[in-house]
Amino acid sequence: MAPCDVPVGVITGDDVVKLLKHAKDNGYAIPAFNCTSSSTANAVMEAASKCNSPVMIQASNGGAQFMAGKSIKDKNACAAGSVALALHVRAMAPYYGIPVIMHSDHCAKKLLPWFDGMLEADEAYFAQYGEPLFSSHMLDLSEETLEENIG
């Protein structure tokens, strides 16, 4: 079992909240890494396992494009790359024996099609397995006006 009795592998919902609260209450950070391939995700999980540490694996828009293949120009390539990374992490994380938060990193307004593709994958995964594919997503509208963010 991992810290505070959350399961190993990708965690979601209440387990994420429990882990983040445990980290805050016990004064430790959960490292986060943007991964661009199955190899980088495996390296992150291996290092976390050796340190007996939970970890956050992030998919950025650019990293997801790299995961999909830089030559793919389809508008859905970034979402497909993020989904492929999340599926890989879900398949492998239990073998590393640590909890993993699977997170999408900084989605600006101009990248909303990428965000929508990940949310569609979350819904499809939830329909089949009872939990979302990703643990969390970050919608970052800091480039937008204050009025647009609040209004």
Side-chain angles (χ1 to χ4, degrees), residues 12 59 82-83 86 90 102-104 118 121-122 132-137:
T12 61
S82 294
V83 169
R90 275 198 170 272
M102 187 66 221
H103 178 70
S104 68
M118 290 184 290
D122 274 335
L133 178 60
F134 290 85
S135 307
S136 58
H137 295 284

Side-chain angles (χ1 to χ4, degrees), residues 32-52:
F33 299 91
N34 280 309
C35 293
T36 59
S37 68
S38 58
S39 296
T40 57
N42 289 349
V44 166
M45 291 186 287
E46 181 180 345
S49 180
K50 286 180 179 178
C51 294
N52 195 29

Side-chain angles (χ1 to χ4, degrees), residues 50-105:
K50 286 180 179 178
C51 294
N52 195 29
S53 173
V55 69
M56 183 179 290
I57 292 182
Q58 301 180 141
S60 67
N61 183 266
Q65 178 67 56
F66 189 85
M67 178 75 181
K70 294 294 278 182
S71 66
I72 297 176
K73 303 303 179 200
D74 186 284
K75 65 179 180 158
N76 298 314
C78 292
S82 294
V83 169
L85 180 65
L87 289 169
H88 172 78
V89 170
R90 275 198 170 272
M92 299 312 302
Y95 294 99
Y96 289 97
I98 44 109
V100 176
I101 298 172
M102 187 66 221
H103 178 70
S104 68
D105 194 22

